[in-house]
Amino acid sequence: MIAIPLLDGDTFLCDNSTMEKFTTCPRSAQYAISYRLTPSGDRSALKFGGIAHKVLDTRYRAGTPMLEQNLDVTNAMVAVAEKEFSTYTPPQDDFRNLDRMVDLIHKYGQAYPFESFDLYRFPDGRPFIEVPFMVPLGEIDLQGATFYVQNLVKTPNGELVKSGTVHPRTINSIKIVWMGRIDLAYTLSSGLYIVDHKTSSIATNMAEFEISHQFYGYTYATETLLQREVNGIVINRIVCRKPTRT
């Protein structure tokens, strides 16, 4: 049975992944939203990318030190990777493993030993790193249509989980909320920029991001949160190819 997950009984939460599925393959969206199913081939890449985000989170929360001169930061990044891989074992034939992540950490430090920007900080001093957001997009009039729904609840740590059983409900309207997490924001020459970390096994054409609704959405969310214009977006693409055999 297909059910619509709703928060507070009338709010549909839409993130970038959901939007991509809706616009490229509605059937994929159905499986992901209603059944929480994703293609098995995506899981290893998503897990590796998630660990890379946590590693970079550690790096930038330390400020913008010279990595080659600050082994404590590099060691902390490696420790995060080791902790994550201690509870996750990638498929035996998958190159995206702990050794590859440690190699990525050291090469990232060599390529970017320091940063020329300043992290954006909130008035209380918190850096704008891994900031979650939920901003309203609008409301859809359903004119009293009946749908099968399942309630979403927010746990104390902020995670959204399904609660209760699937049940029919007559709905007059649904609020659409855009949600996600912005990796980093910084200031440079009085401008505000947001950064999105992306790991990939291939270096594709960056032009694909010029019309990405993800970055239109992230810009809208950041400007809503900070009440300030975003001057640009930086894609921190980290290409991690499968090692070649010699």
Side-chain angles (χ1 to χ4, degrees):
M1 182 181 299
I2 300 174
I4 303 174
L6 294 178
L7 180 67
D8 299 329
D10 65 350
T11 301
F12 181 76
L13 304 176
C14 183
D15 60 11
N16 176 61
S17 177
T18 302
M19 186 72 75
E20 281 188 347
K21 288 180 172 64
F22 270 124
T23 55
T24 58
C25 180
R27 180 67 71 183
S28 175
Q30 174 187 332
Y31 282 118
I33 297 168
S34 299
Y35 306 127
R36 300 290 183 181
L37 297 176
T38 57
S40 59
D42 294 345
R43 294 170 189 164
S44 181
L46 289 173
K47 184 66 177 179
F48 189 84
I51 295 173
H53 272 72
K54 292 182 178 180
V55 164
L56 292 171
D57 175 275
T58 301
R59 184 258 184 276
Y60 287 106
R61 286 189 187 278
T64 53
M66 289 282 291
L67 284 189
E68 292 179 334
Q69 299 175 10
N70 194 329
L71 289 179
D72 288 342
V73 177
T74 300
N75 291 339
M77 295 166 71
V78 172
V80 169
E82 291 175 340
K83 179 181 178 181
E84 292 298 318
F85 277 100
S86 70
T87 57
Y88 164 68
T89 302
Q92 188 173 3
D93 60 345
D94 198 315
F95 68 95
R96 289 165 289 212
N97 52 30
L98 174 59
D99 289 341
R100 196 64 170 157
M101 181 62 70
V102 172
D103 180 61
L104 183 152
I105 290 169
H106 289 294
K107 288 182 177 178
Y108 191 88
Q110 292 168 5
Y112 305 102
F114 67 94
E115 302 288 2
S116 59
F117 57 73
D118 294 314
L119 294 172
Y120 179 89
R121 293 185 179 274
F122 292 100
D124 62 4
R126 290 179 298 120
F128 196 112
I129 297 175
E130 290 291 325
V131 174
F133 65 83
M134 292 177 65
V135 294
L137 291 182
E139 194 166 331
I140 299 176
D141 183 5
L142 299 177
Q143 301 180 346
T146 300
F147 296 89
Y148 283 99
V149 303
Q150 187 165 24
N151 295 329
L152 284 178
V153 296
K154 186 178 292 187
T155 63
N157 64 0
E159 183 182 2
L160 293 167
V161 297
K162 290 183 177 180
S163 175
T165 59
V166 174
H167 58 282
R169 179 184 297 169
T170 299
I171 303 175
N172 293 317
S173 64
I174 285 183
K175 300 172 184 175
I176 307 298
V177 170
W178 174 251
M179 65 177 292
R181 185 178 297 270
I182 298 170
D183 294 336
L184 185 149
Y186 70 83
T187 57
L188 182 66
S189 301
S190 74
L192 176 67
Y193 301 85
I194 56 179
V195 176
D196 191 70
H197 307 309
K198 289 191 178 297
T199 56
S200 174
S201 60
I202 56 175
T204 56
N205 193 333
M206 298 291 283
E208 66 183 274
F209 297 111
E210 292 182 3
I211 58 173
S212 169
H213 48 65
Q214 176 186 4
F215 299 118
Y216 282 101
Y218 281 17
T219 299
Y220 171 72
T222 303
E223 292 181 340
T224 301
L225 290 172
L226 302 182
Q227 294 297 296
R228 175 176 173 177
E229 181 184 4
V230 171
N231 298 94
I233 295 172
V234 176
I235 300 172
N236 184 22
R237 170 169 280 185
I238 303 169
V239 178
C240 186
R241 295 186 178 88
K242 184 177 181 178
T244 56
R245 295 182 179 181
T246 56

